[in-house]
Structure formats: C-alpha cells, structure tokens
Amino acid sequence: MPTAFKLLCERCGLSQREAAAYLKIRVDTVKSWSSGRNDAPIGVMNDLRALYAVIDTAALDQADEIERQIKRNPVEQIEIGIAVDDHEAQGLGLPCAGAHGALIGLVVTQIDVPFRIVPRGSTVATAGAADERERGNRL
C-alpha cells in the first residue's frame, strides 16, 4: 500500500533522489517515509502539497496559453518543450526535471491539439527567440 508521502512525491514527479534534494534530507529518510516505516512530518507533507499546487497552477496556465495561441494561429501540431535537467527546471521555478515532467504531463491532459514533446531548447519557438536575440530584438 503506497503512503501519502510516496503518492505526493509521485504526483510532483519527484524520484527518491529528487525528493531528498528538494526536501534537503537523506535518500534513506525518503525511502523510510515512502515505505511507511516512519511517517513524514506534517511540514514535509505541506511542502509537497505546496509544490503540487505550483505545478498544477502552472500547468493550467500553460494549457490556457496554448489554447489561446492555437485559436490565434491554428496549427496541425505543437511542440512542447520539456526540461532536460534539474538546472533547466530550476530556471523555470521548479526544483527538478521530474517536477517539470509532472507539469508537462498535466498540460497535455488539458489541451486538445496534437503535440510532440521535445527537449526545451529544441522547439521552434525557442529557435525563433534565439534568432531574434541574435538580431538584437527582445521578445
């Protein structure tokens, strides 16, 4: 039987290593809480709930933005960029790549357009933004 701690970690996209890093605890402690050997403190559970709220809100916002963009400029398929490492995810305000993966998972459940998931830096939009920056224009 999964524990509430384990379920919240999974919902947030956190591996045991990522959960330990996010919570600033040892992986052994995460394993103990995940297995139910020990209960996770309420403060830890609240931290995970707060992280999930951030992921959920960001996913809804991104899905809404995608739908607005599609209405303005219909396309057959969109590319959704996913963070390839923790550093990139942290630049987006998330603790790790797993959390960004959870966010993208929620986004794709909310949109009604064919999509393709690609590494963040390789999307057409990212390439266009880079080209504009090279020309000296700000987006």
Side-chain angles (χ1 to χ4, degrees), residues 19-79:
Y22 175 66
L23 298 167
K24 297 179 177 80
I25 57 174
R26 296 174 23 161
V27 173
D28 288 343
T29 303
V30 170
K31 290 179 181 180
S32 176
W33 294 342
S34 294
S35 71
R37 239 179 325 180
N38 293 303
D39 292 332
I42 192 68
V44 166
M45 298 299 286
N46 288 340
D47 287 347
L48 291 173
R49 286 183 190 102
L51 174 59
Y52 185 75
V54 167
I55 291 168
D56 188 49
T57 300
L60 290 173
D61 290 347
Q62 285 189 11
D64 287 346
E65 181 58 28
I66 289 168
E67 292 294 337
R68 279 193 295 277
Q69 293 286 335
I70 296 301
K71 284 180 182 171
R72 279 185 285 204
N73 184 23
V75 294
E76 288 184 31
Q77 181 182 48
I78 62 167
E79 291 182 339

Short mmCIF file of all heavy atoms in Angstrom, two decimals, residues 19-79:
data_model
loop_
_atom_site.label_atom_id
_atom_site.label_comp_id
_atom_site.label_asym_id
_atom_site.label_seq_id
_atom_site.Cartn_x
_atom_site.Cartn_y
_atom_site.Cartn_z
N ALA A 19 13.34 14.01 -4.45
CA ALA A 19 12.61 14.35 -3.22
C ALA A 19 13.59 14.67 -2.11
O ALA A 19 13.40 15.64 -1.37
CB ALA A 19 11.69 13.20 -2.81
N ALA A 20 14.64 13.88 -1.99
CA ALA A 20 15.64 14.13 -0.95
C ALA A 20 16.31 15.49 -1.16
O ALA A 20 16.47 16.26 -0.21
CB ALA A 20 16.68 13.02 -0.94
N ALA A 21 16.66 15.79 -2.40
CA ALA A 21 17.31 17.08 -2.68
C ALA A 21 16.33 18.24 -2.41
O ALA A 21 16.71 19.24 -1.79
CB ALA A 21 17.79 17.12 -4.12
N TYR A 22 15.10 18.11 -2.85
CA TYR A 22 14.10 19.17 -2.66
C TYR A 22 13.83 19.42 -1.18
O TYR A 22 13.73 20.56 -0.74
CB TYR A 22 12.81 18.81 -3.39
CG TYR A 22 11.68 19.77 -3.15
CD1 TYR A 22 11.77 21.09 -3.61
CD2 TYR A 22 10.55 19.39 -2.46
CE1 TYR A 22 10.74 21.99 -3.39
CE2 TYR A 22 9.51 20.30 -2.23
CZ TYR A 22 9.62 21.59 -2.69
OH TYR A 22 8.61 22.49 -2.46
N LEU A 23 13.72 18.34 -0.43
CA LEU A 23 13.39 18.46 1.00
C LEU A 23 14.63 18.63 1.89
O LEU A 23 14.50 18.81 3.10
CB LEU A 23 12.59 17.24 1.44
CG LEU A 23 11.24 17.07 0.74
CD1 LEU A 23 10.67 15.68 1.00
CD2 LEU A 23 10.28 18.16 1.17
N LYS A 24 15.80 18.54 1.26
CA LYS A 24 17.08 18.69 1.97
C LYS A 24 17.21 17.64 3.08
O LYS A 24 17.52 17.96 4.23
CB LYS A 24 17.25 20.11 2.52
CG LYS A 24 17.31 21.15 1.42
CD LYS A 24 17.45 22.54 1.99
CE LYS A 24 17.58 23.57 0.92
NZ LYS A 24 16.40 23.99 0.28
N ILE A 25 16.95 16.39 2.70
CA ILE A 25 17.07 15.26 3.61
C ILE A 25 17.82 14.14 2.91
O ILE A 25 18.11 14.23 1.71
CB ILE A 25 15.68 14.75 4.07
CG1 ILE A 25 14.82 14.35 2.86
CG2 ILE A 25 14.97 15.81 4.92
CD1 ILE A 25 13.51 13.71 3.21
N ARG A 26 18.11 13.09 3.63
CA ARG A 26 18.82 11.95 3.05
C ARG A 26 17.87 11.06 2.27
O ARG A 26 16.68 10.96 2.61
CB ARG A 26 19.48 11.14 4.16
CG ARG A 26 20.56 11.91 4.90
CD ARG A 26 21.08 11.14 6.07
NE ARG A 26 20.84 9.71 5.89
CZ ARG A 26 21.46 8.76 6.52
NH1 ARG A 26 22.35 9.05 7.42
NH2 ARG A 26 21.19 7.49 6.31
N VAL A 27 18.39 10.40 1.26
CA VAL A 27 17.59 9.47 0.47
C VAL A 27 17.05 8.36 1.35
O VAL A 27 15.91 7.90 1.17
CB VAL A 27 18.41 8.90 -0.72
CG1 VAL A 27 17.63 7.81 -1.44
CG2 VAL A 27 18.79 10.00 -1.70
N ASP A 28 17.82 7.93 2.35
CA ASP A 28 17.34 6.89 3.27
C ASP A 28 16.08 7.34 4.00
O ASP A 28 15.18 6.52 4.26
CB ASP A 28 18.42 6.52 4.29
CG ASP A 28 19.56 5.73 3.69
OD1 ASP A 28 19.38 5.18 2.58
OD2 ASP A 28 20.62 5.65 4.32
N THR A 29 16.00 8.61 4.33
CA THR A 29 14.81 9.14 5.00
C THR A 29 13.61 9.09 4.05
O THR A 29 12.51 8.69 4.44
CB THR A 29 15.05 10.58 5.50
OG1 THR A 29 16.19 10.58 6.37
CG2 THR A 29 13.85 11.13 6.24
N VAL A 30 13.83 9.46 2.79
CA VAL A 30 12.77 9.38 1.79
C VAL A 30 12.29 7.94 1.65
O VAL A 30 11.09 7.67 1.61
CB VAL A 30 13.25 9.93 0.43
CG1 VAL A 30 12.24 9.63 -0.68
CG2 VAL A 30 13.52 11.42 0.51
N LYS A 31 13.21 7.01 1.60
CA LYS A 31 12.85 5.59 1.49
C LYS A 31 12.02 5.15 2.69
O LYS A 31 11.04 4.40 2.54
CB LYS A 31 14.10 4.73 1.35
CG LYS A 31 14.79 4.90 0.01
CD LYS A 31 16.04 4.04 -0.06
CE LYS A 31 16.74 4.24 -1.40
NZ LYS A 31 17.96 3.43 -1.51
N SER A 32 12.40 5.58 3.87
CA SER A 32 11.68 5.22 5.09
C SER A 32 10.25 5.76 5.07
O SER A 32 9.30 5.05 5.40
CB SER A 32 12.44 5.75 6.31
OG SER A 32 11.73 5.51 7.49
N TRP A 33 10.10 7.02 4.67
CA TRP A 33 8.77 7.63 4.60
C TRP A 33 7.94 7.01 3.47
O TRP A 33 6.74 6.83 3.60
CB TRP A 33 8.86 9.12 4.41
CG TRP A 33 9.46 9.86 5.57
CD1 TRP A 33 9.62 9.41 6.85
CD2 TRP A 33 9.99 11.18 5.55
NE1 TRP A 33 10.21 10.37 7.63
CE2 TRP A 33 10.45 11.48 6.86
CE3 TRP A 33 10.13 12.15 4.57
CZ2 TRP A 33 11.01 12.70 7.20
CZ3 TRP A 33 10.70 13.37 4.90
CH2 TRP A 33 11.13 13.63 6.21
N SER A 34 8.60 6.67 2.36
CA SER A 34 7.90 6.08 1.22
C SER A 34 7.36 4.69 1.55
O SER A 34 6.29 4.31 1.09
CB SER A 34 8.82 6.00 0.00
OG SER A 34 9.14 7.28 -0.46
N SER A 35 8.13 3.95 2.31
CA SER A 35 7.75 2.58 2.63
C SER A 35 6.74 2.51 3.78
O SER A 35 6.11 1.47 3.99
CB SER A 35 8.98 1.76 3.02
OG SER A 35 9.47 2.19 4.29
N GLY A 36 6.59 3.60 4.52
CA GLY A 36 5.69 3.60 5.66
C GLY A 36 6.34 3.16 6.96
O GLY A 36 5.68 3.07 7.99
N ARG A 37 7.65 2.92 6.91
CA ARG A 37 8.37 2.57 8.13
C ARG A 37 8.26 3.69 9.16
O ARG A 37 8.13 3.44 10.35
CB ARG A 37 9.85 2.32 7.82
CG ARG A 37 10.32 0.96 8.18
CD ARG A 37 11.76 0.78 7.81
NE ARG A 37 12.00 1.53 6.56
CZ ARG A 37 13.12 1.62 5.93
NH1 ARG A 37 14.17 1.02 6.39
NH2 ARG A 37 13.24 2.30 4.83
N ASN A 38 8.33 4.92 8.66
CA ASN A 38 8.16 6.11 9.51
C ASN A 38 7.22 7.07 8.78
O ASN A 38 7.15 7.06 7.55
CB ASN A 38 9.50 6.80 9.77
CG ASN A 38 10.41 5.95 10.63
OD1 ASN A 38 10.07 5.57 11.73
ND2 ASN A 38 11.59 5.64 10.10
N ASP A 39 6.54 7.89 9.54
CA ASP A 39 5.65 8.89 8.95
C ASP A 39 6.41 10.17 8.64
O ASP A 39 7.25 10.61 9.43
CB ASP A 39 4.51 9.23 9.92
CG ASP A 39 3.55 8.07 10.11
OD1 ASP A 39 3.41 7.26 9.16
OD2 ASP A 39 2.94 7.98 11.19
N ALA A 40 6.09 10.74 7.50
CA ALA A 40 6.69 12.04 7.15
C ALA A 40 6.05 13.11 8.02
O ALA A 40 4.84 13.09 8.25
CB ALA A 40 6.45 12.34 5.68
N PRO A 41 6.84 14.06 8.49
CA PRO A 41 6.29 15.16 9.30
C PRO A 41 5.28 15.99 8.49
O PRO A 41 5.38 16.10 7.27
CB PRO A 41 7.52 15.99 9.67
CG PRO A 41 8.69 15.11 9.44
CD PRO A 41 8.29 14.14 8.37
N ILE A 42 4.34 16.59 9.18
CA ILE A 42 3.31 17.39 8.53
C ILE A 42 3.91 18.54 7.71
O ILE A 42 3.42 18.87 6.63
CB ILE A 42 2.26 17.91 9.55
CG1 ILE A 42 1.05 18.50 8.81
CG2 ILE A 42 2.85 18.93 10.49
CD1 ILE A 42 0.23 17.49 8.09
N GLY A 43 5.00 19.12 8.20
CA GLY A 43 5.65 20.20 7.45
C GLY A 43 6.16 19.74 6.10
O GLY A 43 6.07 20.46 5.10
N VAL A 44 6.69 18.53 6.04
CA VAL A 44 7.16 17.95 4.78
C VAL A 44 5.98 17.72 3.84
O VAL A 44 6.03 18.04 2.65
CB VAL A 44 7.92 16.63 5.04
CG1 VAL A 44 8.13 15.84 3.76
CG2 VAL A 44 9.26 16.92 5.72
N MET A 45 4.90 17.18 4.39
CA MET A 45 3.70 16.95 3.57
C MET A 45 3.16 18.27 3.04
O MET A 45 2.75 18.35 1.87
CB MET A 45 2.65 16.20 4.39
CG MET A 45 3.09 14.83 4.87
SD MET A 45 3.48 13.70 3.52
CE MET A 45 1.83 13.33 2.95
N ASN A 46 3.19 19.30 3.86
CA ASN A 46 2.73 20.62 3.41
C ASN A 46 3.63 21.18 2.32
O ASN A 46 3.15 21.82 1.38
CB ASN A 46 2.63 21.59 4.59
CG ASN A 46 1.46 21.26 5.49
OD1 ASN A 46 0.51 20.59 5.09
ND2 ASN A 46 1.53 21.71 6.73
N ASP A 47 4.95 20.95 2.43
CA ASP A 47 5.87 21.39 1.38
C ASP A 47 5.55 20.71 0.06
O ASP A 47 5.56 21.34 -1.00
CB ASP A 47 7.33 21.09 1.77
CG ASP A 47 7.86 21.99 2.86
OD1 ASP A 47 7.21 23.02 3.18
OD2 ASP A 47 8.93 21.65 3.42
N LEU A 48 5.24 19.41 0.10
CA LEU A 48 4.90 18.68 -1.12
C LEU A 48 3.56 19.15 -1.68
O LEU A 48 3.40 19.28 -2.90
CB LEU A 48 4.90 17.18 -0.87
CG LEU A 48 6.26 16.55 -0.61
CD1 LEU A 48 6.11 15.10 -0.20
CD2 LEU A 48 7.17 16.68 -1.82
N ARG A 49 2.60 19.40 -0.81
CA ARG A 49 1.31 19.93 -1.27
C ARG A 49 1.49 21.28 -1.95
O ARG A 49 0.86 21.57 -2.97
CB ARG A 49 0.34 20.07 -0.10
CG ARG A 49 -0.20 18.76 0.40
CD ARG A 49 -1.22 18.98 1.52
NE ARG A 49 -1.54 17.73 2.15
CZ ARG A 49 -1.06 17.31 3.32
NH1 ARG A 49 -0.25 18.06 4.02
NH2 ARG A 49 -1.42 16.14 3.81
N ALA A 50 2.34 22.12 -1.38
CA ALA A 50 2.59 23.44 -1.96
C ALA A 50 3.26 23.30 -3.32
O ALA A 50 2.92 24.03 -4.27
CB ALA A 50 3.45 24.28 -1.02
N LEU A 51 4.21 22.38 -3.44
CA LEU A 51 4.86 22.15 -4.73
C LEU A 51 3.84 21.68 -5.75
O LEU A 51 3.82 22.15 -6.88
CB LEU A 51 6.00 21.13 -4.60
CG LEU A 51 6.67 20.70 -5.90
CD1 LEU A 51 7.25 21.90 -6.66
CD2 LEU A 51 7.74 19.65 -5.63
N TYR A 52 2.98 20.77 -5.36
CA TYR A 52 1.97 20.29 -6.29
C TYR A 52 1.04 21.42 -6.73
O TYR A 52 0.66 21.51 -7.90
CB TYR A 52 1.14 19.13 -5.73
CG TYR A 52 0.21 18.60 -6.79
CD1 TYR A 52 0.70 17.82 -7.83
CD2 TYR A 52 -1.13 18.96 -6.81
CE1 TYR A 52 -0.13 17.39 -8.85
CE2 TYR A 52 -1.97 18.53 -7.82
CZ TYR A 52 -1.46 17.74 -8.84
OH TYR A 52 -2.28 17.33 -9.86
N ALA A 53 0.69 22.31 -5.82
CA ALA A 53 -0.16 23.45 -6.16
C ALA A 53 0.52 24.33 -7.21
O ALA A 53 -0.12 24.81 -8.16
CB ALA A 53 -0.51 24.26 -4.92
N VAL A 54 1.83 24.53 -7.06
CA VAL A 54 2.59 25.31 -8.05
C VAL A 54 2.55 24.61 -9.40
O VAL A 54 2.31 25.25 -10.44
CB VAL A 54 4.05 25.51 -7.57
CG1 VAL A 54 4.94 26.03 -8.70
CG2 VAL A 54 4.09 26.46 -6.38
N ILE A 55 2.80 23.31 -9.41
CA ILE A 55 2.80 22.53 -10.66
C ILE A 55 1.42 22.60 -11.31
O ILE A 55 1.30 22.85 -12.51
CB ILE A 55 3.22 21.07 -10.38
CG1 ILE A 55 4.70 21.02 -9.98
CG2 ILE A 55 2.94 20.17 -11.58
CD1 ILE A 55 5.15 19.68 -9.41
N ASP A 56 0.38 22.37 -10.54
CA ASP A 56 -0.99 22.36 -11.05
C ASP A 56 -1.38 23.72 -11.64
O ASP A 56 -1.91 23.79 -12.75
CB ASP A 56 -1.95 21.96 -9.93
CG ASP A 56 -3.36 21.74 -10.42
OD1 ASP A 56 -3.54 21.00 -11.41
OD2 ASP A 56 -4.28 22.29 -9.79
N THR A 57 -1.09 24.79 -10.93
CA THR A 57 -1.43 26.13 -11.40
C THR A 57 -0.65 26.47 -12.67
O THR A 57 -1.22 26.99 -13.64
CB THR A 57 -1.13 27.18 -10.31
OG1 THR A 57 -1.93 26.87 -9.16
CG2 THR A 57 -1.43 28.59 -10.78
N ALA A 58 0.63 26.16 -12.69
CA ALA A 58 1.45 26.44 -13.88
C ALA A 58 0.95 25.63 -15.08
O ALA A 58 0.93 26.14 -16.21
CB ALA A 58 2.92 26.14 -13.59
N ALA A 59 0.55 24.39 -14.85
CA ALA A 59 0.06 23.56 -15.94
C ALA A 59 -1.23 24.13 -16.52
O ALA A 59 -1.39 24.20 -17.75
CB ALA A 59 -0.16 22.12 -15.45
N LEU A 60 -2.14 24.54 -15.67
CA LEU A 60 -3.39 25.14 -16.16
C LEU A 60 -3.12 26.42 -16.93
O LEU A 60 -3.71 26.66 -17.99
CB LEU A 60 -4.33 25.41 -14.98
CG LEU A 60 -4.92 24.17 -14.32
CD1 LEU A 60 -5.69 24.56 -13.06
CD2 LEU A 60 -5.80 23.40 -15.28
N ASP A 61 -2.20 27.25 -16.41
CA ASP A 61 -1.84 28.49 -17.11
C ASP A 61 -1.23 28.20 -18.48
O ASP A 61 -1.58 28.85 -19.47
CB ASP A 61 -0.86 29.31 -16.27
CG ASP A 61 -1.48 29.92 -15.02
OD1 ASP A 61 -2.73 29.92 -14.91
OD2 ASP A 61 -0.71 30.37 -14.15
N GLN A 62 -0.33 27.22 -18.55
CA GLN A 62 0.30 26.89 -19.83
C GLN A 62 -0.71 26.32 -20.81
O GLN A 62 -0.68 26.64 -22.00
CB GLN A 62 1.46 25.93 -19.62
CG GLN A 62 2.68 26.61 -19.05
CD GLN A 62 3.91 25.72 -19.05
OE1 GLN A 62 3.93 24.66 -19.65
NE2 GLN A 62 4.93 26.18 -18.36
N ALA A 63 -1.60 25.46 -20.33
CA ALA A 63 -2.62 24.89 -21.21
C ALA A 63 -3.52 25.99 -21.76
O ALA A 63 -3.85 25.99 -22.96
CB ALA A 63 -3.43 23.84 -20.46
N ASP A 64 -3.90 26.94 -20.91
CA ASP A 64 -4.72 28.07 -21.37
C ASP A 64 -3.99 28.89 -22.42
O ASP A 64 -4.57 29.30 -23.43
CB ASP A 64 -5.11 28.98 -20.20
CG ASP A 64 -6.15 28.36 -19.29
OD1 ASP A 64 -6.80 27.36 -19.68
OD2 ASP A 64 -6.32 28.89 -18.16
N GLU A 65 -2.71 29.13 -22.19
CA GLU A 65 -1.92 29.90 -23.16
C GLU A 65 -1.79 29.16 -24.48
O GLU A 65 -1.89 29.77 -25.55
CB GLU A 65 -0.53 30.22 -22.59
CG GLU A 65 0.35 31.03 -23.51
CD GLU A 65 -0.24 32.37 -23.93
OE1 GLU A 65 -1.05 32.96 -23.17
OE2 GLU A 65 0.12 32.85 -25.03
N ILE A 66 -1.60 27.87 -24.44
CA ILE A 66 -1.52 27.07 -25.67
C ILE A 66 -2.83 27.18 -26.44
O ILE A 66 -2.84 27.39 -27.65
CB ILE A 66 -1.17 25.61 -25.36
CG1 ILE A 66 0.29 25.50 -24.92
CG2 ILE A 66 -1.44 24.71 -26.57
CD1 ILE A 66 0.67 24.16 -24.32
N GLU A 67 -3.94 27.03 -25.73
CA GLU A 67 -5.26 27.13 -26.38
C GLU A 67 -5.46 28.51 -27.01
O GLU A 67 -5.98 28.63 -28.12
CB GLU A 67 -6.38 26.81 -25.38
CG GLU A 67 -6.40 25.37 -24.92
CD GLU A 67 -6.74 24.36 -26.00
OE1 GLU A 67 -7.38 24.74 -27.01
OE2 GLU A 67 -6.35 23.19 -25.85
N ARG A 68 -5.04 29.58 -26.31
CA ARG A 68 -5.15 30.94 -26.87
C ARG A 68 -4.30 31.07 -28.14
O ARG A 68 -4.75 31.64 -29.14
CB ARG A 68 -4.72 31.99 -25.85
CG ARG A 68 -5.79 32.34 -24.84
CD ARG A 68 -5.45 33.60 -24.04
NE ARG A 68 -4.28 33.43 -23.19
CZ ARG A 68 -4.30 32.86 -21.98
NH1 ARG A 68 -5.44 32.41 -21.48
NH2 ARG A 68 -3.21 32.75 -21.27
N GLN A 69 -3.08 30.55 -28.08
CA GLN A 69 -2.19 30.62 -29.25
C GLN A 69 -2.77 29.86 -30.43
O GLN A 69 -2.70 30.33 -31.57
CB GLN A 69 -0.82 30.05 -28.89
CG GLN A 69 -0.03 30.86 -27.89
CD GLN A 69 0.52 32.13 -28.49
OE1 GLN A 69 0.74 32.23 -29.68
NE2 GLN A 69 0.74 33.13 -27.65
N ILE A 70 -3.35 28.70 -30.17
CA ILE A 70 -3.92 27.88 -31.24
C ILE A 70 -5.12 28.58 -31.88
O ILE A 70 -5.32 28.50 -33.09
CB ILE A 70 -4.32 26.48 -30.70
CG1 ILE A 70 -3.09 25.71 -30.22
CG2 ILE A 70 -5.09 25.68 -31.74
CD1 ILE A 70 -2.04 25.48 -31.27
N LYS A 71 -5.91 29.27 -31.08
CA LYS A 71 -7.06 30.00 -31.63
C LYS A 71 -6.60 31.13 -32.54
O LYS A 71 -7.23 31.42 -33.56
CB LYS A 71 -7.94 30.54 -30.51
CG LYS A 71 -8.79 29.47 -29.88
CD LYS A 71 -9.66 30.02 -28.78
CE LYS A 71 -10.45 28.87 -28.15
NZ LYS A 71 -11.15 29.25 -26.96
N ARG A 72 -5.50 31.78 -32.17
CA ARG A 72 -4.98 32.89 -32.98
C ARG A 72 -4.25 32.40 -34.21
O ARG A 72 -4.28 33.03 -35.25
CB ARG A 72 -4.03 33.75 -32.15
CG ARG A 72 -4.74 34.75 -31.28
CD ARG A 72 -3.75 35.63 -30.62
NE ARG A 72 -3.15 34.83 -29.55
CZ ARG A 72 -2.58 35.28 -28.47
NH1 ARG A 72 -2.45 36.57 -28.31
NH2 ARG A 72 -2.12 34.49 -27.55
N ASN A 73 -3.56 31.27 -34.07
CA ASN A 73 -2.72 30.76 -35.15
C ASN A 73 -2.85 29.24 -35.20
O ASN A 73 -2.02 28.52 -34.67
CB ASN A 73 -1.26 31.17 -34.89
CG ASN A 73 -0.35 30.76 -36.02
OD1 ASN A 73 -0.80 30.56 -37.14
ND2 ASN A 73 0.92 30.61 -35.70
N PRO A 74 -3.90 28.74 -35.85
CA PRO A 74 -4.13 27.30 -35.90
C PRO A 74 -2.96 26.56 -36.55
O PRO A 74 -2.41 27.01 -37.56
CB PRO A 74 -5.38 27.15 -36.75
CG PRO A 74 -6.05 28.48 -36.69
CD PRO A 74 -4.95 29.48 -36.55
N VAL A 75 -2.58 25.46 -35.95
CA VAL A 75 -1.52 24.59 -36.48
C VAL A 75 -1.97 23.15 -36.33
O VAL A 75 -2.88 22.84 -35.56
CB VAL A 75 -0.18 24.81 -35.72
CG1 VAL A 75 0.36 26.19 -35.97
CG2 VAL A 75 -0.34 24.54 -34.24
N GLU A 76 -1.33 22.27 -37.09
CA GLU A 76 -1.68 20.85 -37.02
C GLU A 76 -1.12 20.18 -35.78
O GLU A 76 -1.71 19.26 -35.24
CB GLU A 76 -1.18 20.13 -38.27
CG GLU A 76 -1.96 20.48 -39.51
CD GLU A 76 -1.50 19.67 -40.70
OE1 GLU A 76 -1.06 18.52 -40.51
OE2 GLU A 76 -1.59 20.20 -41.82
N GLN A 77 0.03 20.66 -35.35
CA GLN A 77 0.70 20.04 -34.20
C GLN A 77 1.56 21.09 -33.50
O GLN A 77 2.08 22.00 -34.16
CB GLN A 77 1.59 18.88 -34.66
CG GLN A 77 2.29 18.16 -33.54
CD GLN A 77 3.20 17.05 -34.05
OE1 GLN A 77 3.98 17.25 -34.98
NE2 GLN A 77 3.09 15.89 -33.45
N ILE A 78 1.68 20.97 -32.19
CA ILE A 78 2.56 21.88 -31.46
C ILE A 78 3.70 21.08 -30.84
O ILE A 78 3.61 19.86 -30.68
CB ILE A 78 1.82 22.65 -30.35
CG1 ILE A 78 1.25 21.70 -29.31
CG2 ILE A 78 0.74 23.53 -30.95
CD1 ILE A 78 0.77 22.40 -28.05
N GLU A 79 4.76 21.78 -30.53
CA GLU A 79 5.87 21.20 -29.80
C GLU A 79 5.84 21.74 -28.38
O GLU A 79 5.68 22.94 -28.17
CB GLU A 79 7.21 21.57 -30.46
CG GLU A 79 7.42 20.92 -31.79
CD GLU A 79 8.76 21.27 -32.40
OE1 GLU A 79 9.36 22.30 -32.01
OE2 GLU A 79 9.22 20.52 -33.27
#
